Amino acid sequence: MTALLLRDLRRAIAGGSAVLPIAFFLLVAVLFPFGIGPDRALLARAGAGVIWAAALLAALLPVERLATPDVEAGVLDQLAVRGISLTLVGAAKLAAHWLSFGPPMMLAALLAGGLFGMGAAELGIVELALLIGTPGLAALAVATSALVAGMRGSGAVAGLVMLPLGVPLVIFGAGASSGGPGALKLLGAVTLLLLAGAPLLWAAAIRAGRD
């Protein structure tokens, strides 16, 4: 599993899949204050919601590259011949995607919080929510990648699949700033559910695609 994780992590960094979501996230964070105006109080109130909406959209960008290249190159068939479980492959891809996406997103959120005029306490809650919720975003992206692998227009289909399913993460993640520990617990519950189900869904979707 470590070898699979490192392979996907290197590919994400070398191929730009780790850079594009962060660049998109920061672009949204920079443009939003221009659109809403200079009202500092309004920006601070909207900051957490904008950060989470941008994080969900950013997590969607590399979905096409998480499964389709391996399916088309026959890598997954080679792994299956060697007796490596597809569920294990899905778990490794999930971990690699989060490592290339989650921590950089949390760092970028510090800059976004400054642009929105968020205080240290509120920004700390946002960072905690991202720490809890970004693994769920990564799990959702990995599961979606297997569902749309090999489809024409897979990017558009991935958006239709992933965005509605990501709404609970956005609601509870953004609500943590005002909802307190209860919102964080709900966010953690959704994340755990996605983490448990994503590798299994990945394996089932890949097997279904072979038939």
Side-chain angles (χ1 to χ4, degrees), residues 11 13 30 47 66 80 88 93-94 102 108 111-112 133 148 152 180 196 205:
R11 187 169 66 179
I13 295 173
V30 170
L66 295 177
L88 181 64
K93 285 187 172 292
L94 194 163
L111 177 58
V148 303
R152 289 185 178 180

Side-chain angles (χ1 to χ4, degrees), residues 19-205:
V19 176
L20 186 60
I22 306 305
F24 176 85
F25 176 85
L26 288 174
L27 182 61
V28 172
V30 170
L31 291 178
F32 185 81
F34 288 102
I36 202 171
D39 189 333
R40 188 178 182 87
L42 180 58
L43 286 172
R45 287 198 303 271
V50 174
I51 286 173
W52 268 96
L56 174 59
L57 293 173
L60 176 65
L61 293 180
V63 163
E64 291 181 85
R65 303 179 186 178
L66 295 177
T68 299
D70 285 345
V71 171
E72 294 178 346
V75 172
L76 299 180
D77 292 331
Q78 291 295 322
L79 293 174
V81 169
R82 298 178 184 180
I84 299 176
S85 167
L86 285 175
T87 302
L88 181 64
V89 176
K93 285 187 172 292
L94 194 163
H97 181 46
W98 182 79
L99 287 173
S100 66
F101 164 75
M105 183 68 65
M106 293 176 65
L107 290 175
L110 293 174
L111 177 58
L115 292 172
F116 294 132
M118 299 170 68
E122 187 178 2
L123 187 55
I125 294 174
V126 170
E127 288 293 313
L128 179 59
L130 287 173
L131 179 62
I132 296 172
T134 48
L137 290 176
L140 190 55
V142 167
T144 302
S145 71
L147 290 172
V148 303
M151 290 185 180
R152 289 185 178 180
S154 58
V157 177
L160 293 175
V161 173
M162 183 174 171
L163 293 180
L165 294 176
V167 169
L169 290 171
V170 174
I171 291 174
F172 298 136
S177 297
S178 57
L184 288 174
K185 290 177 181 178
L186 290 171
L187 178 63
V190 174
T191 294
L192 288 175
L193 180 63
L194 291 171
L195 289 175
L200 299 174
L201 182 57
W202 157 276

